[in-house]
Amino acid sequence: MFTHKGSFSFTAAGFLARLPLSMYGISTVVMIATVRDSYALAGLVAGASLFASVVLVPRISRLIDRHGQSRVAVPATVFSVVFSVLQVVCVRYDAADWTLFATAVLSATAPNVGGMVRARWAETLKNEPDAMHTANALEQVLDEAGFILGPILSVALCTALFPEAGVLGASILTLGGTLLLTVQRSTEPPVHEPDPGQPSSPLRNRGLQIMILTFLLTGAVFGSLELTTVAYTEYLGHASSSGWALALLAFGSAVAGLAFGGLTVTVRQSTQFLIGVAAMAVLMLPLLVADGLTSLAVLMFVAGMATAPTMITGMTLVQQLVPPAQINEGMALAVTGLLGGNALGSAVAGRVVEWSGAHAGYRIPCAAAALALVAVLAGMRMLTSQVAAVTGDADGTGERQVVEQR
């Protein structure tokens, strides 16, 4: 992949810039819970930031589509980092609680760097669909690596240095990584003019609507799985092991992503996505019979095996469904669907854990994965026909023909 000029540089910078995505939430919780001695306040502030991101990030991505990555991403990131640092100051000097919510909301302007990097790959490999498959696999594996390393780095900074160190470290990585990415102007995608008659928002795209719904339910799988695992390991008397159990989930996903990225797949993207979601629904079910820490660790690794292939094909579908002039906004909407589903799944699983016990929480990721499969099955004809209309691949063999021609 890195034989393409500039590809290693923008990939490395993009990884640094989006590593904080998995750091801010846990760093904010640790910082506020430690200094203010309130997990309730910490959770509400982190939730306010997440909600603001769901609202703001797609709009920032729309500006990136219209004006270019460097012109929009740099000021948006600087604005975000300034208010993240102000939040640290407010916590340190015991400012009123409302200032924590205000700074949390105003700091949610950091752009969707993962979408920006994928847009660079899409421009670099626009005539190489098999290579684009591998690039999306690479990006998903880097996402998984970030969600393994980010929480570990956050907790290490907060405990080894001072409670605010996690948020400050995440802010430095966000600013530094984004600046390193945006100075690479040679690989920055050009601004594409909208096609005549193109809807003003990709939200009107029926295929994208199906993808956002599926990503919302997939996010609910992740959110409920995280909360339930924390509760279940605490019930087992091994609360400190929850991080390792969740890391095994991400590790299983990363291993599957590497394997999947090395394959040359010739079936339709929509069919690949359906298979991935179905596999995810099946591999969640064994968690219902977990009966201890060892079995949980093994089953979490297995459950993660379908995650990366599903996300790889899902993001590829989004790129195919959305026109180039809206690619950043389209991918941002998919990501915010995941984030919204994460919050929803966490909330529902929390209720189930309180009512029925820690292990009962694993019913929620199983149910959410099953609903995601129903959503894809219901929208399969629409996805297939819309992708065929965009790519001219009516019989599903277009990708194979391109590969054979190369």
Side-chain angles (χ1 to χ4, degrees):
M1 294 306 302
F2 296 134
T3 57
H4 297 274
K5 186 177 180 181
S7 58
F8 179 81
S9 298
F10 72 67
T11 301
F15 178 73
L16 287 177
R18 66 188 178 195
L19 178 60
L21 183 65
S22 62
M23 295 176 63
Y24 276 116
I26 191 170
S27 295
T28 300
V29 169
V30 172
M31 175 179 67
I32 296 175
T34 302
V35 178
R36 296 292 180 92
D37 194 26
S38 174
Y39 275 100
L41 177 62
L44 287 172
V45 172
S49 178
L50 178 61
F51 178 77
S53 296
V54 170
V55 174
L56 294 174
V57 171
R59 287 161 175 76
I60 292 168
S61 296
R62 178 182 294 187
L63 292 174
I64 290 174
D65 283 326
R66 292 179 178 178
H67 304 289
Q69 293 186 2
S70 57
R71 290 184 63 187
V72 176
V74 173
T77 301
V78 171
F79 190 89
S80 171
V81 168
V82 166
F83 280 98
S84 292
V85 173
L86 280 176
Q87 184 182 70
V88 169
V89 173
C90 291
V91 171
R92 169 63 70 174
Y93 292 100
D94 200 27
D97 289 352
W98 69 265
T99 63
L100 306 186
F101 288 97
T103 51
V105 170
L106 292 169
S107 67
T109 60
N112 175 30
V113 176
M116 291 165 58
V117 174
R118 286 178 169 90
R120 291 184 183 234
W121 278 119
E123 186 66 27
T124 301
L125 304 173
K126 55 188 175 184
N127 297 318
E128 302 179 53
D130 56 332
M132 191 64 219
H133 165 77
T134 306
N136 277 328
L138 170 66
E139 292 302 313
Q140 187 60 39
V141 170
L142 291 177
D143 282 342
E144 302 297 345
F147 278 95
I148 295 171
L149 298 175
I152 296 172
L153 178 59
S154 296
V155 174
L157 288 171
C158 292
T159 55
L161 299 177
F162 48 90
E164 301 87 351
V167 173
L168 291 176
S171 299
I172 292 170
L173 286 171
T174 298
L175 181 60
T178 303
L179 290 175
L180 286 173
L181 176 65
T182 53
V183 296
Q184 300 177 46
R185 301 298 293 273
S186 63
T187 55
E188 180 177 339
V191 175
H192 294 276
E193 292 297 325
D195 296 330
Q198 176 181 302
S200 58
S201 171
L203 275 174
R204 298 183 181 181
N205 185 314
R206 294 291 300 279
L208 185 61
Q209 291 171 5
I210 296 167
M211 296 303 298
I212 292 173
L213 174 60
T214 308
F215 278 8
L216 178 75
L217 293 166
T218 303
V221 172
F222 301 151
S224 58
L225 200 56
E226 181 176 342
L227 185 140
T228 302
T229 300
V230 171
Y232 185 55
T233 53
E234 183 177 357
Y235 166 77
L236 293 173
H238 298 280
S240 61
S241 299
S242 60
W244 292 105
L246 292 169
L248 282 169
L249 179 78
F251 182 62
S253 180
V255 170
L258 286 171
F260 186 66
L263 298 176
T264 300
V265 186
T266 57
V267 299
R268 292 186 180 97
Q269 284 292 331
S270 54
T271 304
Q272 292 179 45
F273 188 58
L274 174 63
I275 293 170
V277 175
M280 183 174 66
V282 170
L283 294 181
M284 289 293 156
L285 292 175
L287 288 169
L288 295 174
V289 297
D291 61 354
L293 193 61
T294 301
S295 64
L296 176 66
V298 174
L299 294 176
M300 288 290 278
F301 178 83
V302 172
M305 296 293 285
T307 302
T310 302
M311 295 305 302
I312 291 164
T313 53
M315 292 307 294
T316 302
L317 267 177
V318 171
Q319 291 167 4
Q320 292 179 345
L321 290 167
V322 178
Q326 296 178 334
I327 188 168
N328 284 285
E329 185 180 2
M331 286 191 285
L333 287 168
V335 171
T336 53
L338 282 170
L339 294 175
N342 193 293
L344 176 64
S346 181
V348 174
R351 290 291 186 183
V352 171
V353 166
E354 286 185 3
W355 291 338
S356 305
H359 189 269
Y362 284 118
R363 299 171 189 169
I364 305 305
C366 293
L371 288 173
L373 178 58
V374 171
V376 177
L377 286 170
M380 190 66 180
R381 181 176 296 179
M382 171 65 69
L383 287 174
T384 302
S385 62
Q386 194 166 329
V387 170
V390 172
T391 63
D393 186 16
D395 60 357
T397 61
E399 287 188 8
R400 177 181 295 177
Q401 290 171 357
V402 171
V403 173
E404 289 174 351
Q405 288 171 4
R406 289 183 62 243

